[in-house]
Amino acid sequence: MIQNKVEICGVNTAKLPLLKSAEKEALFEKIAKGDKEAREMYIEGNLRLVLSVIKRFHSSNENVDDLFQIGCIGLIKAIDHFDTSLNVKFSTYAVPMIIGEIRRFLRDNNTIRVSRSLKDTAYKAIYAREAMTRRDLKEPTINEVAEEIGISKEDIVYALDAIQSPMSLYEPVYTDGGDTLYVMDQVSDKKNKEEVWVENISLSEAMKRLNDRENEIITLRFFEGKTQMEVARMIGISQAQVSRLEKNALKIMKNYLCE
């Protein structure tokens, strides 16, 4: 069991270092300047984060060492892409990336195998969609993606559907710059019914502090899963305006919830 295993991938998890906030800030300044030793120290100082995440996947029956290694890949990606100017805690940013990396690993190693050709088609479509979104500043339709990569729309839809996996209970659905709200937080739990009820009331009250447009943006973004570009098209403003309004709304909600 993960809970009882002390040494994982040759790492003694009982002796993992714990970095203080000031140490993290100092190391990130060095990392930004290309200091490889500081990067290694930061990775080691956050391995506890990886360990806490893989405990959530104890029922997957996957090798603990494999999960830990994959989680470390997610941690490294988080470190390499983290923007310290966003006023978001590193753990808030890193946990979804670590979970995502592990979920991809579990999906690709699922007992229900997806053929390599289907995966290749799906990944080509995904990469093309991302590239076209950056290039054209709008999300392309499935027909546009099909024309871009020269594969029929039907084949793309089939391939994308084939690589889908059930949503994890630990899929992040909302982040306010502090703690992350996961799918499991919105699932009925008789044992914690009162606690969840109180949390839902708090979130609802926080959203009442927003104006109509901010409320609409938060609802579309974090409860309906729309991208900023999709929201911009739906309410008729630019993606940059959506981004600014979203950040302001989250700040208002955070201030209310932290009072």
Side-chain angles (χ1 to χ4, degrees):
M1 295 292 290
I2 293 175
Q3 291 87 341
N4 299 324
K5 186 166 183 178
V6 176
E7 187 168 302
I8 302 177
C9 295
V11 177
N12 188 335
T13 59
K15 296 183 178 180
L16 289 175
L18 185 62
L19 297 175
K20 297 180 180 178
S21 296
E23 292 175 317
K24 291 181 179 179
E25 292 178 7
L27 286 174
F28 248 115
E29 289 180 3
K30 294 180 180 179
I31 292 172
K33 297 176 182 179
D35 191 322
K36 293 182 179 180
E37 184 177 349
R39 184 171 178 269
E40 290 299 320
M41 290 177 64
Y42 200 89
I43 292 172
E44 186 177 0
N46 282 278
L47 290 180
R48 289 179 181 270
L49 200 58
V50 176
L51 188 63
S52 68
V53 170
I54 67 173
K55 287 179 179 179
R56 304 175 181 183
F57 294 89
H58 68 275
S59 61
S60 67
N61 295 320
E62 288 289 338
N63 183 278
V64 178
D65 288 4
D66 289 343
L67 291 180
F68 188 75
Q69 288 179 335
I70 298 300
C72 287
I73 293 174
L75 171 64
I76 292 170
K77 287 183 177 180
I79 292 173
D80 291 343
H81 294 90
F82 184 59
D83 185 350
T84 56
S85 67
L86 294 179
N87 195 30
V88 174
K89 290 194 298 185
F90 176 74
S91 58
T92 301
Y93 178 79
V95 167
M97 292 197 71
I98 296 171
I99 291 174
E101 202 68 32
I102 293 174
R103 287 187 67 239
R104 280 189 289 274
F105 168 76
L106 295 176
R107 179 193 64 203
D108 291 342
N109 288 273
N110 197 285
T111 53
I112 302 175
R113 300 295 178 180
V114 178
S115 71
R116 173 53 59 185
S117 61
L118 277 178
K119 286 184 180 180
D120 288 344
T121 297
Y123 294 148
K124 282 180 182 178
I126 292 170
Y127 295 148
R129 182 176 61 194
E130 292 177 351
M132 294 171 72
T133 299
R134 290 193 298 269
R135 183 189 69 197
D136 303 328
L137 299 181
K138 69 181 184 69
E139 192 166 338
T141 64
I142 192 69
N143 287 326
E144 290 171 334
V145 172
E147 185 177 348
E148 179 80 8
I149 63 178
I151 299 176
S152 72
K153 176 182 68 176
E154 292 75 16
D155 286 345
I156 292 175
V157 172
Y158 182 69
L160 290 174
D161 185 62
I163 68 169
Q164 293 302 310
S165 59
M167 180 176 286
S168 166
L169 287 175
Y170 297 98
E171 183 80 17
V173 294
Y174 172 76
T175 301
D176 69 349
D179 293 331
T180 300
L181 183 69
Y182 299 97
V183 171
M184 68 176 299
D185 297 321
Q186 297 182 320
V187 176
S188 176
D189 182 354
K190 294 181 180 179
K191 292 182 180 179
N192 299 298
K193 190 171 182 180
E194 182 177 349
E195 181 181 346
V196 173
W197 179 69
V198 172
E199 289 178 354
N200 286 340
I201 288 179
S202 297
L203 187 57
S204 177
E205 288 299 315
M207 291 188 68
K208 289 180 182 178
R209 269 62 184 174
L210 309 178
N211 61 40
D212 290 343
R213 171 146 288 183
E214 290 170 338
N215 198 303
E216 182 180 15
I217 288 173
I218 293 299
T219 299
L220 291 171
R221 285 280 290 124
F222 299 105
F223 293 96
E224 296 185 18
K226 304 294 184 184
T227 66
Q228 287 187 350
M229 288 185 179
E230 288 174 330
V231 174
R233 287 199 297 270
M234 292 175 70
I235 63 179
I237 61 177
S238 70
Q239 184 270 332
Q241 287 176 301
V242 170
S243 179
R244 286 196 295 272
L245 289 168
E246 179 184 313
K247 288 180 180 178
N248 185 62
L250 292 177
K251 182 178 180 181
I252 292 172
M253 293 176 68
K254 179 181 178 181
N255 289 339
Y256 171 78
L257 293 170
C258 293
E259 286 179 354

